[in-house]
Amino acid sequence: MATDPISASVLSLLRDRDPAIADLIAKEADRQATTLELIASENHVSPAVMHTMGTCLTNKYAEGYPGARYYGGCVFHDQVETIARDRARQMFNCRFANVQPHSGAQANTAAFMALMNPGETFASLVLKDGGHLSHGMKLNFSGRYHTPVHYPLHYEKSHPEFERIDYDAVRAVCMEHKPKVLMCGYSAYPRIIDFRKFREIADACGALLVADVAHIAGLIVGGAHPSPFPHAHVVTTTTHKTLRGPRGGLILTDDEELAKKIDKAVFPGVQGGPLMHIIASKAVAFGECLKPEFKTYARQTVQNARALAAALIEKGFRITTGGTDNHLMLVDLRGKSDQLTGADAEKWLEAAGLITNKNGIPDDPRPPKFTSGLRLGSPALTTRGLKEAEMKSVAVFIDTVLSAGLKGEGDLAAATHQVREQVRAMCAKFPLDG
Ligand code: DSN
């Protein structure tokens, strides 16, 4: 529930003016407070980040950039955006930042517009292997207005790099197709990305390297994953995952000419007015990321993911690639039972207060609505204060529910009840901040 004074006052304001929405916000606050969030792309923002979004900065049009706006009255907005840009540059140790993209997909749209003409070819990992919609899915702008070619993972079980990026194949695909852009960075890849190797391949085939670090941005800033700089020409990211900011996007580069093209592509290319209340909140989140304690958070996030993966392996689950180097893991549920789908696992776990998402695994024979995999992540649990010991308990919760579900409805109902209570107790022990 909303325990901090600002949330409480927002709710009391809404209770009179819009009871329907007030009721739903209160219920969602309770859901977040009493469940364990294992979705790898989600997090819990601080009260400072949260409440900066709900300020008068939303009232303003500020099309353009600091010092060059198309509206009067932007004096404070210019200062807010400048602070956000400076902090973003400092976080990634790079020269240029555009903080206006409304989302990660918008950031990728703008980056593509800046770097490619319509129809031109780019290379990426396909969505079903861990990529993203905006990396060339055929219904997305990236697949409709450009020509994606995809590089593979190692699919042979006997290969020591099974399910990891096949860098030789990346090179072969790039040398054959000579893409304008080579894209790395993923939504469901549990291992370190070798940005240096990607840059060597990009140079060899004459491509520009774009690193979409949406998932691992906070780990990079916190020193728990190597940085894409100085290797990538352009870096895109969301701001709401491991960076623990408001929902939004960010584009970074060290190259002045590319920075100019990116600014033009974001506005007026793909967006109009920037969301200044969100940009202010990004600035607050970036300020938090620059504090020494954020390094501790990033390190603990990785340690927690490793502990969860190890505990699940001990319980008989197969984790793709055999584990994780970052904040997420993909559980191949077939290791437990051929009958178990990601869709069932997600549903059963949610009833017990464990929030996850079904996810395809490399070479998955099942379609995306069912999947053979479950994606789990540690960022939100780490924000809550959980450590390795609690991750072991989380693995027990997961195993208890899924094993019971495989036995039948009666067993599942009993296990759900028991684990739901244990999850509530753990949430009470590790309350959300505000
Ligand atoms: N939809 C996001 C995720 O869950 O990974 C990627 O943008």
Side-chain angles (χ1 to χ4, degrees):
M1 284 305 221
T3 49
D4 64 300
I6 299 181
S7 294
S9 81
V10 170
L11 279 181
S12 73
L13 193 75
L14 278 180
R15 264 198 193 99
D16 291 337
R17 298 176 190 212
D18 196 331
I21 293 296
D23 180 51
L24 292 171
I25 293 174
K27 284 178 174 152
E28 172 60 11
D30 186 57
R31 186 192 72 82
Q32 290 186 20
T34 61
T35 57
L36 291 174
E37 182 52 73
L38 284 139
I39 293 177
S41 50
E42 297 187 11
N43 215 327
H44 302 289
V45 300
S46 70
V49 169
M50 178 84 78
H51 293 302
T52 305
M53 287 184 262
T55 58
C56 61
L57 275 80
T58 192
N59 291 336
K60 192 78 198 83
Y61 254 118
E63 283 182 7
Y65 290 101
R69 304 281 189 188
Y70 289 85
Y71 291 81
C74 288
V75 56
F76 302 118
H77 297 266
D78 280 3
Q79 292 173 53
V80 165
E81 187 165 345
T82 301
I83 291 172
R85 291 203 297 206
D86 287 349
R87 289 181 185 168
R89 294 188 299 110
Q90 201 185 334
M91 282 193 310
F92 285 91
N93 194 19
C94 68
R95 291 177 64 211
F96 303 97
N98 187 308
V99 295
Q100 292 194 3
H102 300 333
S103 70
Q106 294 284 86
N108 285 340
T109 310
F112 279 17
M113 186 182 239
L115 304 182
M116 283 192 279
N117 291 314
E120 285 185 328
T121 300
F122 70 98
S124 66
L125 186 68
V126 72
L127 176 63
K128 71 176 185 54
D129 279 351
H132 186 254
L133 294 176
S134 59
H135 299 184
M137 187 216 190
K138 66 175 190 286
L139 297 177
N140 184 263
F141 85 93
S142 54
R144 283 190 66 172
Y145 302 121
H146 297 287
T147 308
V149 289
H150 296 301
Y151 51 78
L153 303 171
H154 283 288
Y155 300 120
E156 329 79 65
K157 273 201 178 102
S158 56
H159 198 284
E161 298 282 299
F162 179 44
E163 296 170 327
R164 299 185 192 215
I165 294 163
D166 180 346
Y167 288 95
D168 290 338
V170 177
R171 182 180 290 274
V173 166
C174 288
M175 294 315 282
E176 181 186 346
H177 295 279
K178 294 276 164 28
K180 191 82 179 280
V181 163
L182 169 57
M183 200 154 197
C184 61
Y186 315 102
S187 293
Y189 186 71
R191 295 298 179 175
I192 297 286
I193 299 167
D194 191 337
F195 295 116
R196 179 188 296 275
K197 222 178 248 181
F198 269 109
R199 176 59 184 263
E200 282 165 15
I201 297 169
D203 285 346
C205 70
L208 292 167
L209 180 62
V210 175
D212 175 350
V213 300
H215 264 262
I216 54 173
L219 305 185
I220 293 164
V221 171
H225 188 290
S227 173
F229 288 112
H231 311 296
H233 294 93
V234 173
V235 173
T236 60
T237 180
T238 53
T239 48
H240 49 271
K241 297 185 176 94
T242 45
L243 279 181
R244 226 163 39 179
R247 305 195 79 77
L250 171 66
I251 310 179
L252 305 141
T253 184
D254 262 337
D255 182 308
E256 191 164 2
E257 287 313 305
L258 290 181
K260 285 183 195 153
K261 288 185 184 174
I262 288 163
D263 282 353
K264 271 195 199 137
V266 173
F267 171 81
V270 299
Q271 291 185 180
L275 309 175
M276 292 309 302
H277 56 308
I278 300 296
I279 289 174
S281 180
K282 286 176 186 174
V284 173
F286 298 165
E288 292 177 358
C289 290
L290 287 167
K291 292 195 173 139
E293 49 267 36
F294 194 76
K295 283 194 168 33
T296 311
Y297 167 70
R299 204 171 42 239
Q300 188 65 52
T301 298
V302 173
Q303 284 168 202
N304 280 353
R306 284 203 178 122
L308 181 59
L312 287 168
I313 289 169
E314 234 171 68
K315 291 276 169 205
F317 289 94
R318 190 183 89 81
I319 307 292
T320 69
T321 77
T324 180
D325 297 328
N326 61 23
H327 64 299
L328 67 78
M329 69 214 68
L330 283 175
V331 185
D332 178 357
L333 298 164
R334 296 170 308 176
K336 199 75 176 167
S337 160
D338 266 345
Q339 307 308 311
L340 188 54
T341 67
D344 278 339
E346 178 191 305
K347 190 174 67 186
W348 296 346
L349 291 170
E350 180 166 354
L354 297 153
I355 312 302
T356 65
N357 71 282
K358 59 181 173 292
N359 209 102
I361 51 169
D363 230 359
D364 198 328
R366 291 196 173 106
K369 272 197 180 159
F370 296 101
T371 80
S372 304
L374 192 68
R375 190 181 64 165
L376 303 176
S378 59
L381 297 190
T382 307
T383 294
R384 255 191 128 113
L386 273 63
K387 294 218 166 70
E388 288 90 333
E390 289 78 32
M391 301 312 281
K392 279 189 188 163
S393 304
V394 170
V396 173
F397 297 162
I398 291 171
D399 181 49
T400 304
V401 172
L402 298 186
S403 300
L406 287 168
K407 284 189 194 143
E409 276 181 23
D411 289 273
L412 179 61
T416 303
H417 179 76
Q418 175 205 322
V419 172
R420 186 72 192 93
E421 289 315 305
Q422 290 171 315
V423 168
R424 272 186 205 286
M426 189 176 275
C427 290
K429 196 167 162 200
F430 296 92
L432 295 176
D433 187 6

